[in-house]
Amino acid sequence: MEVEIKLQPGLAGPRAVIYCGEITPEVEAAAARLAGATRRLAGRREGRVYLLDPGEITLVTAEGQQVYALCQGERYLLKARLYELEAQLAGSRFARISHSEIANFDWVESLDMSTAGTIHLRFKKGGGAFVSRRYVARIKERLGL
């Protein structure tokens, strides 16, 4: 990606414009970083609050009324709702894969599409998650499959 910075004295705040021929995952990620969508998330574990870097989160999952982030083999309780996190992480490396899960595709090692109508994501650090049939078409489109 080509980057250019121009100084404009008197400008109230920084402004970024991305020129592109098509919207690619690289363009979406750059836009999300510039928009500040990658700010840290507060997660609770064992009575302590941790500031989580979204890039380190493998999977965000909802279980009952609780939302958890899986990050470096640990599970952190998040205060935000899943739909709020989906909006906050939109346009970046995250994608909704089921009614109760959002996956970080930077951590996806491979996709197993041998079962008809579903996709099983395998993560680099172990574990996995299934893409529900409802979201398979969106994931395939996003990945260019």
Side-chain angles (χ1 to χ4, degrees), residues 10-62:
L11 192 62
R15 179 177 179 220
V17 178
I18 299 174
Y19 297 95
C20 59
E22 63 180 359
I23 296 177
T24 64
E26 181 185 23
V27 171
E28 287 180 338
R33 281 192 301 273
L34 289 169
T38 58
R39 65 179 170 261
R40 294 180 181 259
L41 301 174
R44 294 182 181 272
R45 184 172 62 87
E46 298 174 0
R48 297 179 76 178
V49 176
Y50 295 86
L51 296 178
L52 307 175
D53 179 2
E56 296 296 317
I57 296 172
T58 307
L59 189 69
V60 177
T61 183

Side-chain angles (χ1 to χ4, degrees), residues 77-90:
L77 177 65
L78 303 176
K79 193 168 185 167
R81 302 276 187 209
L82 199 61
Y83 71 88
E84 294 170 334
L85 292 168
E86 181 181 22
Q88 183 178 349
L89 300 169

Side-chain angles (χ1 to χ4, degrees), residues 118-129:
T118 64
I119 299 173
H120 183 251
L121 305 177
R122 296 179 194 268
F123 296 109
K124 294 176 185 175
K125 299 255 180 173

